[in-house]
Amino acid sequence: MVGMLAIFNIQGNRYRLIVRVAFQYRRVYIKEFLTHSGYTKGAWKKWLR
């Protein structure tokens, strides 16, 4: 986990699923679904705020 985000590798690191986990409410919010190259470019960091 990075802050409140969980990052999952999908299909052998081809894709990354970025989710926010709200444990208090037992919910998972999908924030972004990226290719590996999109993840490497830092497109997901906008969700860290």
Side-chain angles (χ1 to χ4, degrees):
M1 288 192 60
V2 179
M4 294 296 290
L5 299 176
I7 302 169
F8 297 96
N9 294 325
I10 298 175
Q11 198 175 22
N13 282 339
R14 281 181 101 181
Y15 302 101
R16 303 288 173 115
L17 177 64
I18 315 296
V19 301
R20 182 178 175 274
V21 181
F23 293 104
Q24 179 181 0
Y25 303 109
R26 297 181 183 184
R27 301 210 186 256
V28 175
Y29 299 97
I30 297 173
K31 295 298 185 180
E32 194 98 37
F33 187 77
L34 300 166
T35 62
H36 182 71
S37 62
Y39 174 81
T40 304
K41 291 177 186 175
W44 63 277
K45 291 182 181 178
K46 63 185 172 192
W47 299 109
L48 285 175
R49 301 180 228 162

